[in-house]
Amino acid sequence: MTDVLEKPLTPAPSAPAPPTVGAPASAPRERARGPVATLLRRPGILVAVALVLFALVAAITPALLATHDPTATAPLERLLPPSPAHWFGTDELGRDLYSRVVHGSTLTIAATALAVGLALVSGLALGILSGFIGGGTDAVIMRIVDVLLAIPGLLLALAIVTALGFGTLPVAIAVGVGIIPGFARTTRAEVLRVKTLPYVEAARAGGASWTRILLTHVLPNSWGPVVVLAVLDFGAAILAVAALSFLGFGAAPPAAEWGTLISNGRNYLMTAPWVSLVPGLFVAAVVLSLNHLAKSIEEVQR
Amino acid sequence: MTRYVLGRIGQAALVLWAAYTATFAILYLLPSDPVALQLGANNIEVDSLTPEQREAAAARLGLDRPVWEQYLVMLGNALRGDFGVSFAKQVPVSDLLAQRLPGTVTLSVVAVALALVLGVAIAFTATLVPRGAVASLLRRLPAVGVSVPNFWIALLLIQIFAFILGWLPSMGDQGWQSYVLPAITMAIPTSAVLAQVLIRSFDDTLDEPYIATARAKGLTRYDVQVRHAFRNAALPTLTILGLLVGSTVTGSIVVETVFSRNGIGRLAQESVLQQDIPVVQAIVVLAAAAFVVVNLIVDLLYPLLDPRIAHTPKVSRA
C-alpha cells in the first residue's frame, strides 16, 4: 500500500545501510535487490530509522546526546522558548528540555522494552503451549486470553498498578500484561499453521522427539509474525507507558520520563506551551517511526 | 437462531464473570495489603497499630476471612450492584459510579459517533479520490492518528482552540461547548483505527467482480462506493466495534484528567493514585461489561446484516 504513497519529498540520499533494518527483514524472493536496499530507497524509512536510532542511543547513553545537565536548574532561564542554545526550550526551573527528553528516554524505553519483552516471552510460551499441546490446555489458555482481551488495556494496567504500586517497573509490568493476549494469539495461530506442514511430519516420522521438533522446526518458523507484532506493539507500548506516567503513576518527580515531562508542562500551557508540546511531538515522532518501520517490515516479509 | 442468541448471551455472562474474577485476583492476590491501604486512606498509621488492633480492623473490613470466602461474598454483592465502600471517600462505590457515570456516557457516545463519522469519511474519501497527493495524504493520516499520544492531542487542542483562538473552554463541563474538545480528542485515535481497517476493507471490496459490473453498468465511482461497496466493506469493522468502544472509553481516563471533567475516567485516575481498590475494581468491571455488551449486540446484529453467518455460530471475535 505504501509504495504508491511514498512520494519522495526529498531526493533519496544514498546513505550506507544501517545494520538494524536488515536483521528482521528477510525475503528470499527479492534476490537481485535485497529487501534492505528496497527499503532504503524510500526516504520515509530513512527518517524513521534515524529517529528510532536516536531514541535508542538516547536511552542507552543519554550523556552522549544531551547538551546540558538535565537536572541543572537556572532560575534566570525559566520557560525560555526553543532557541539555538536550548533546542526544546527550558522548563519552569530553567532546565534544558531537550536534555531532559534525551535522559527521559532511558526510563521510558527501558519500561517499554521490559513490557514488550515480558509480553513476547509469556505470549510465545502461552501460544506454543496452546497451539502445540492443543485440547484442554488450548481451551483453557485461550479462554484466559479472551478474558484479558475483554478488559480494555489501559484499565487492566490501572488495576495492576493499583495492586503493585507506582514506579517504572510496575508500569512496565502493567503494560506488558495488557499486550500478552495479542502475542499468545499470533503465536498460537503460527504454531498451528507450522505444525501441519510436511517437514514437521517428516521430522516426526524420522523419530525426532516433540521437544526437538518444537525447538528446531516449529519455533524458528513461527516467530516471524510475532517479531513484527513486537515492533508494532513497541510503539503502542511507548504510548501506554507514557500515558501511565502522564497520569502520575510513573517514576517519582526528579526522574524524567516522557509522560511526566509532558504532564509537568500542563501548568504552563498558557504561557509556555512548548514545555508540553515539544516533548509530546518528539514522542509522537518516535512512535510514528516505529509504526512505519513495523509496517514496512511486514510488507517486505509478505 | 434461539440457540445462537442464548449461546451468545451465556458466553457474554461467562466472560464478564471471568473478568470480575481476574480483577479480583489482580487487586486482592497480588502483593498489596488491602488492610494497610484501607487504613492508610483514613490517615491511620498502619505501623503504629498493635497486631490486635490490626486484626480487629481486618475483621471489621471482612479481610480476615479466607480469600475464597471474600471472593464469594464480594461476587454476590457485585451481582446485586453493591461494589463495597470506597477506601478514600468512604461512600458506597455504586453511588460514586452513579454520580459520575452520566457525564462519561454522554461524552463517550458523542466521541464514538464522531469517531465513526470521521473514520468512515476518511476511508471513503481516501479510496474514492484518484491516486495522487490527496489520496496518499488521506491514506497516511490514520497511521499518524494512532501514533500520537491522546494526552498530547488534548493539550494541543487546548492550546489552539482555548488559549489562542478562545473559541472553546479548556476545562469543566458546562454546556455543549465543553464536550467539543474532549470528544475530538477521544475520537481521533479511534477513528484512525477504524479508518485503517475500513480502507483495507474498501480496497479488497473494490477488487470484487461485482464492482466491475456496477461500473460497467455506467454507475459513477461515487455511486458504486455508496450503493455497492460500502455495505460489504463495513462488515469487518462491525467486529471491531467493541474494541473501538473500549478504546474510546479508556480514552476518557486521560481526557477527563486533562480537561478536568468529573467523570468515571477522572475517578479512575484519582482512585488509582489513592490505591482505592473497590473503586478501581468496579470501574474495570464496568468497562469490561460495556465491552462485552457491545460485542454481544454486534454478535446478535451480525446474522441480520450478513445472512451467511446465521447458521455457523462464530467461535470468538476477531
Side-chain angles (χ1 to χ4, degrees):
Chain A
M1 197 190 336
T2 351
D3 48 350
V4 278
L5 312 176
E6 292 293 344
K7 292 201 97 184
L9 299 168
T10 49
S14 51
T20 37
V21 233
S26 55
R29 271 159 286 154
E30 292 188 87
R31 215 165 272 133
R33 200 172 60 213
V36 179
T38 321
L39 285 181
L40 288 182
R41 293 168 67 85
R42 310 205 318 223
I45 299 277
L46 282 178
V47 175
V49 168
L51 262 167
V52 171
L53 278 182
F54 180 86
L56 281 181
V57 172
I60 297 164
T61 57
L64 199 68
L65 295 171
T67 51
H68 295 68
D69 178 352
T71 53
T73 56
L76 290 179
E77 301 186 342
R78 296 178 68 238
L79 301 174
L80 291 180
S83 67
H86 299 286
W87 296 344
F88 288 4
T90 59
D91 69 2
E92 75 280 7
L93 296 174
R95 294 174 293 195
D96 181 58
L97 267 178
Y98 165 75
S99 305
R100 284 184 71 68
V101 169
V102 166
H103 278 267
S105 311
T106 312
L107 280 181
T108 304
I109 300 278
T112 311
L114 197 65
V116 175
L118 174 78
L120 186 65
V121 171
S122 353
L124 267 177
L126 286 177
I128 285 172
L129 277 180
S130 198
F132 209 67
I133 300 177
T137 317
D138 181 30
V140 170
I141 292 178
M142 281 301 116
R143 286 299 81 74
I144 294 176
V145 165
D146 278 348
V147 170
L148 283 180
L149 279 175
I151 305 175
L154 191 56
L155 278 166
L156 185 66
L158 288 190
I160 295 173
V161 167
T162 309
L164 292 182
F166 308 141
T168 309
L169 188 64
V171 163
I173 294 174
V175 171
V177 171
I179 51 180
I180 288 177
F183 285 95
R185 284 192 156 202
T186 311
T187 313
R188 174 174 175 270
E190 276 302 299
V191 168
L192 285 181
R193 184 183 66 81
V194 172
K195 207 169 77 167
T196 57
L197 293 180
Y199 61 75
V200 171
E201 209 179 323
R204 190 73 192 129
S209 69
W210 280 118
T211 324
R212 190 183 157 79
I213 289 177
L214 184 65
L215 292 179
T216 59
H217 297 289
V218 175
L219 196 53
N221 288 299
S222 47
W223 67 16
V226 185
V227 169
V228 172
L229 188 67
V231 182
L232 203 59
D233 271 4
F234 207 89
I238 289 183
L239 288 184
V241 167
L244 286 176
S245 63
F246 177 84
L247 290 171
F249 312 137
E257 262 181 274
W258 288 349
T260 335
L261 284 174
I262 299 168
S263 171
N264 284 346
R266 278 174 64 197
N267 302 330
Y268 312 96
L269 199 58
M270 195 158 343
T271 47
W274 57 86
V275 180
S276 287
L277 295 185
V278 176
L281 188 63
F282 180 77
V283 176
V286 171
V287 175
L288 185 60
S289 305
L290 274 167
N291 288 350
H292 188 52
L293 287 183
K295 220 170 103 188
S296 310
I297 294 172
E298 201 180 20
E299 273 167 21
V300 169
Q301 270 196 341
R302 254 193 239 127
Chain B
M1 194 59 206
T2 323
R3 234 190 106 184
Y4 174 76
V5 172
L6 286 179
R8 300 306 305 166
I9 293 176
Q11 210 175 335
L14 207 62
V15 168
L16 201 54
W17 164 76
Y20 182 89
T21 310
T23 47
F24 178 87
I26 291 169
L27 289 168
Y28 288 91
L29 298 185
L30 283 185
S32 69
D33 184 350
V35 179
L37 288 178
Q38 158 95 25
L39 295 175
N42 299 336
N43 291 321
I44 299 171
E45 279 297 323
V46 181
D47 298 334
S48 67
L49 295 180
T50 61
E52 291 79 38
Q53 281 175 317
R54 216 194 122 94
E55 269 168 36
R60 189 165 47 80
L61 300 168
L63 291 168
D64 59 336
R65 284 176 282 180
V67 172
W68 62 266
E69 204 182 313
Q70 290 182 37
Y71 168 71
L72 287 179
V73 169
M74 283 187 184
L75 183 62
N77 288 342
L79 283 175
R80 289 196 300 270
D82 174 10
F83 285 94
V85 176
S86 156
F87 285 179
K89 299 190 172 71
Q90 292 300 321
V91 279
V93 176
S94 37
D95 290 359
L96 264 182
L97 293 185
Q99 183 197 337
R100 302 285 195 104
L101 200 56
T104 306
V105 169
T106 317
L107 181 61
S108 303
V109 168
V110 176
V112 169
L114 193 63
L116 286 177
V117 172
L118 261 178
V120 170
I122 290 174
F124 193 86
T125 325
T127 44
L128 183 68
V129 297
R131 293 200 184 278
V134 179
S136 73
L137 183 76
L138 282 173
R139 278 167 182 268
R140 246 188 258 183
L141 214 51
V144 179
V146 294
S147 305
V148 179
N150 55 354
F151 45 89
W152 187 72
I153 297 177
L155 295 175
L156 192 66
L157 290 175
I158 290 180
Q159 175 64 22
I160 296 173
F161 292 100
F163 293 163
I164 297 180
L165 298 173
W167 290 352
L168 296 159
S170 66
M171 49 158 55
D173 36 14
Q174 298 295 312
W176 64 270
Q177 293 99 330
S178 67
Y179 280 101
V180 179
L181 294 185
I184 293 176
T185 311
M186 280 161 78
I188 285 177
T190 313
S191 65
V193 176
L194 177 66
Q196 277 180 328
V197 175
L198 207 50
I199 285 177
R200 192 168 285 195
S201 175
F202 256 125
D203 282 341
D204 290 346
T205 310
L206 289 172
D207 280 342
E208 297 277 340
Y210 75 91
I211 296 293
T213 312
R215 285 284 283 157
K217 261 183 1 188
L219 282 182
T220 61
R221 265 190 80 90
Y222 177 83
D223 277 334
V224 168
Q225 263 184 245
V226 172
R227 288 203 224 159
H228 296 276
F230 185 69
R231 281 177 55 173
N232 279 307
L235 271 180
T237 50
L238 208 56
T239 48
I240 62 159
L241 196 65
L243 217 63
L244 295 181
V245 171
S247 78
T248 315
V249 172
T250 41
S252 74
I253 300 169
V254 165
V255 168
E256 289 181 351
T257 305
V258 177
F259 289 97
S260 313
R261 299 178 63 89
N262 256 336
I264 293 283
R266 178 112 171 273
L267 181 65
Q269 193 256 353
E270 290 167 2
S271 306
V272 175
L273 271 185
Q274 297 161 336
Q275 298 198 289
D276 198 338
I277 291 181
V279 182
V280 174
Q281 184 180 24
I283 292 176
V284 174
V285 171
L286 194 68
F291 180 77
V292 166
V293 168
V294 171
N295 271 328
L296 180 66
I297 294 173
V298 169
D299 278 344
L300 295 183
L301 281 182
Y302 222 109
L304 301 180
L305 298 172
D306 187 355
R308 288 170 295 184
I309 297 289
H311 301 293
T312 48
K314 221 151 51 76
V315 178
S316 67
R317 62 183 175 278

